[in-house]
Amino acid sequence: MTKKVRVRYAPSPTGFLHIGGARTALFNYLYAKHHDGTFIVRIEDTDVERNVEGGEASQLDNLRWLGIIPEESIDIGGPYAPYRQMERLSLYKVRGEKLLANGQVYKCFCSTERLQQSREEQKERGVAAPHYDGTCRALTQHQIQEKEAAGEAYTLRMRVPEGTYRFHDLVRGNVAFESKDIGDWVIMKTNGIPTYNFAVALDDYDMDITHVFRGEEHLSNTPKQLMVFEAFGWTPPQYGHMTLIVNEERKKLSKRDETIVQFVSQYRELGFLPEAMFNFFALLGWSPEGEQELLSKEALIEQFDVRRLSKSVSMFDQKKLMWMNNQYIKRLSVDALVELVLPHLQKANVVPVWANEEQLAWVKELALLYQEQLTYGAEIVVLTKHYFEERVNYEEEAQAWLEASETTAIAAALTTALQQATPNSSADWEQLIKTVQQRTGLKGKALFMPIRILLTGQTHGPELPLVMKLLGKELLVKRLAQFSKVNI
Ligand code: GLU
């Protein structure tokens, strides 16, 4: 009988949910869901000094926002609890002691300074990957007792067997590592806290993990984890190491790279849609069989196939993300659209936090007017800035039009028409434009462009009658007066 698929995303709370982490979580999630398996989130918090406040919450909260929802985790519990490594210390301790009793690990009393010195000596000799020199490997029982009696602290080191570690990586195919290049490594630190490679292997075993998808940076850790499985005679999970995410210059993403927004919470704050992000992350290192790239969560779950995981680097293409988000925004219902843009307008202080019904109806119309072009929620503030300013800021391209005598004639006709009418519906506003057309004899672009520039300062925008309706008579009159003053 094949085992039920169980996969995990195991972030260290040393930072907030990053795009790389989100991609890892997502691929594990898709794999689990595709195989009717279980997706769990486990917190690997043993690097105590590097843990950051709020890191854990950011991971869980933003995953949930993305729709990557675990069946087991620290906040919802589950049959394999606890899901936080610092709460599992006794489990690691027992296993460490077992390996020690069998002689598969040994006590190492070398000080940090000694180890540092040995590493430097090896480097000087030209050793590419320096490793432990084996000093404590052959300590006698008597020597060990003496050191312990003297209160010397020790770590536990794996007595790495000679040989080659091979495994079939689900992304890269067959991979091999020589154990002599690894050296005896620490499984338990002097403070009794396990190292990452020891704890992760034990947890994967204890939690019945069947498959592990993670970033390429963990590839060289895999042989160490295989050693732990081997030491206990257990069957390891299957591993798949996903390729790097690179920036547009094809350079490995570094946390300091400012050309890319890197944290999921930042996208959330900017008003990206979780469904779009989910879709976008799924294509970072994986591709569907067909041409269609806009895929719902359900479609992605159905189509997810590890054989289509990419072997080459995945470029984080922000333009594509913008495009994709816009595609999802275009499909939003009016209510969802308002929900997306309203907080941004309120944060920008252009719509009151306690907006009344009339104001909300106005926001609704405004949002609908910009739905087609909106790429993310916060962009509404930039796109609609001119609705909230009294004065027009004329664009560079508008200058030539402003100097034309026809524009002065249109401004005059428009002012008169506005004084004589009280337009309400967009049909009324259309009528008003027609009046100006009749009075000036201008039509088409020669008519619309100056009107748009006079009223908004811009050469492009949504349909003019709708824009005018939202700007309202009062503001339009002021803006026309602004133009006339300049042109007297
Ligand atoms: N805690 C590790 C990390 O955040 C996870 C490694 C793994 O998935 O095995 O990178």
Side-chain angles (χ1 to χ4, degrees):
M1 202 184 86
T2 47
K3 270 173 112 181
K4 186 172 176 328
V5 166
R6 285 180 56 84
V7 297
R8 67 356 179 241
Y9 169 56
S12 300
T14 51
F16 302 135
L17 183 62
H18 184 256
I19 48 183
R23 191 230 355 209
T24 301
L26 182 72
F27 283 12
N28 280 288
Y29 176 83
L30 289 176
Y31 189 78
K33 296 292 132 191
H34 182 81
H35 293 279
D36 281 327
T38 305
F39 169 70
I40 77 173
V41 172
R42 179 174 75 219
I43 299 290
E44 302 202 326
D45 55 350
T46 54
D47 202 348
V48 186
E49 269 122 58
R50 290 183 53 229
N51 291 343
V52 297
E53 175 135 11
E56 198 176 277
S58 159
Q59 293 282 344
L60 291 166
D61 183 42
N62 288 305
L63 281 183
R64 202 165 279 280
W65 176 74
L66 282 169
I68 306 175
I69 302 175
E71 271 102 48
E72 297 168 26
S73 79
I74 52 166
D75 51 350
I76 45 183
Y80 296 81
Y83 294 92
R84 198 185 268 114
Q85 287 189 326
M86 286 305 278
E87 291 167 20
R88 300 175 68 83
L89 292 183
S90 57
L91 291 164
Y92 311 129
K93 185 166 179 269
V94 174
R95 261 61 174 270
E97 280 163 3
K98 180 146 189 244
L99 294 184
L100 184 65
N102 293 344
Q104 285 158 299
V105 302
Y106 59 88
K107 292 181 181 170
C108 170
F109 296 88
C110 293
S111 66
T112 321
E113 296 73 43
R114 227 232 96 237
L115 294 171
Q116 179 69 20
Q117 201 184 344
S118 154
R119 211 170 301 131
E120 257 141 45
E121 276 166 20
Q122 291 182 57
K123 269 200 206 145
E124 267 164 39
R125 275 189 278 119
V127 179
H131 45 72
Y132 183 58
D133 60 7
T135 307
C136 294
R137 214 176 208 247
L139 289 181
T140 62
Q141 207 49 41
H142 180 67
Q143 286 171 311
I144 294 173
Q145 272 162 8
E146 259 183 7
K147 285 180 183 292
E148 279 192 83
E152 282 186 45
Y154 61 84
T155 59
L156 292 184
R157 264 185 205 278
M158 182 67 95
R159 195 182 296 278
V160 172
E162 255 178 59
T164 310
Y165 283 83
R166 296 177 208 280
F167 65 98
H168 184 80
D169 189 279
L170 291 164
V171 181
R172 308 156 181 264
N174 293 332
V175 188
F177 286 93
E178 295 302 325
S179 65
K180 66 171 175 10
D181 296 331
I182 298 167
D184 292 354
W185 54 280
V186 174
I187 64 155
M188 200 65 98
K189 294 184 264 187
T190 50
N191 57 7
I193 296 181
T195 55
Y196 155 69
N197 281 304
F198 190 49
V200 81
L202 296 179
D203 286 348
D204 284 342
Y205 172 75
D206 285 338
M207 296 187 179
D208 281 333
I209 298 302
T210 55
H211 299 78
V212 172
F213 294 97
R214 59 187 174 194
E216 171 175 288
E217 66 278 14
H218 287 295
L219 186 63
S220 60
N221 287 323
T222 307
K224 292 184 182 170
Q225 294 168 27
L226 290 174
M227 283 175 204
V228 178
F229 278 89
E230 186 184 62
F232 288 102
W234 301 331
T235 309
Q238 277 186 270
Y239 296 95
H241 290 90
M242 293 155 333
T243 55
L244 288 180
I245 301 177
V246 294
N247 66 15
E248 275 153 51
E249 287 161 21
R250 306 197 83 74
K251 287 209 190 86
K252 182 177 175 233
L253 268 200
S254 93
K255 297 248 160 94
R256 284 177 299 276
D257 190 333
E258 283 179 7
T259 62
I260 285 184
V261 176
Q262 302 207 25
F263 293 98
V264 173
S265 57
Q266 292 173 296
Y267 287 100
R268 193 172 164 180
E269 273 159 32
L270 283 168
F272 279 78
L273 296 175
E275 299 80 13
M277 300 293 296
F278 190 103
N279 190 161
F280 179 76
F281 284 136
L283 303 178
L284 267 185
W286 177 82
S287 57
E289 212 174 312
E291 292 289 297
Q292 181 57 265
E293 288 205 303
L294 287 176
L295 296 164
S296 67
K297 184 173 175 176
E298 292 68 34
L300 287 165
I301 290 174
E302 197 198 312
Q303 295 185 25
F304 193 70
D305 176 354
V306 280
R307 285 171 300 188
R308 299 193 61 83
L309 281 170
S310 167
K311 288 186 174 51
S312 45
V313 294
S314 342
M315 191 179 87
F316 195 90
D317 182 348
Q318 293 189 101
K319 283 191 211 78
K320 183 167 170 179
L321 173 57
M322 299 283 213
W323 169 80
M324 193 167 272
N325 205 52
N326 171 254
Q327 296 298 316
Y328 278 82
I329 287 181
K330 282 203 251 187
R331 299 180 193 171
L332 287 183
S333 67
V334 190
D335 288 347
L337 181 67
V338 172
E339 205 178 301
L340 175 71
V341 300
L342 185 61
H344 297 285
L345 294 169
Q346 290 174 325
K347 205 167 142 205
N349 273 329
V350 291
V351 170
V353 178
W354 300 107
N356 61 29
E357 250 171 64
E358 198 186 323
Q359 287 162 324
L360 287 178
W362 184 87
V363 169
K364 197 166 173 175
E365 281 194 56
L366 183 79
L368 281 172
L369 210 50
Y370 287 89
Q371 184 168 19
E372 275 297 301
Q373 69 184 102
L374 193 67
T375 48
Y376 57 96
E379 199 190 21
I380 193 76
V381 177
V382 187
L383 291 177
T384 64
K385 202 163 157 257
H386 64 280
Y387 287 83
F388 308 101
E389 293 165 339
E390 206 156 296
R391 296 182 64 78
V392 190
N393 288 308
Y394 303 107
E395 271 178 11
E396 191 72 24
E397 298 94 278
Q399 284 312 321
W401 288 91
L402 288 171
E403 283 153 24
S405 60
E406 287 85 351
T407 304
T408 313
I410 288 175
L414 196 53
T415 308
T416 315
L418 271 172
Q419 279 159 357
Q420 291 165 350
T422 314
N424 200 354
S425 66
S426 42
D428 295 346
W429 286 101
E430 260 171 58
Q431 188 51 48
L432 189 99
I433 297 174
K434 278 213 187 90
T435 310
V436 178
Q437 180 182 338
Q438 281 153 7
R439 289 190 190 161
T440 57
L442 295 162
K443 56 180 187 202
K445 192 177 176 190
L447 173 72
F448 294 122
M449 189 62 103
I451 297 183
R452 186 181 294 285
I453 291 170
L454 286 166
L455 302 181
T456 70
Q458 299 178 347
T459 51
H460 299 280
E463 276 189 64
L464 207 42
L466 297 175
V467 173
M468 291 165 87
K469 180 175 176 234
L470 285 176
L471 284 166
K473 179 170 166 174
E474 198 187 326
L475 194 58
L476 295 186
V477 169
K478 279 189 193 152
R479 289 183 173 184
L480 287 167
Q482 177 191 339
F483 171 77
S484 313
K485 272 190 208 126
V486 177
N487 284 273
I488 287 169

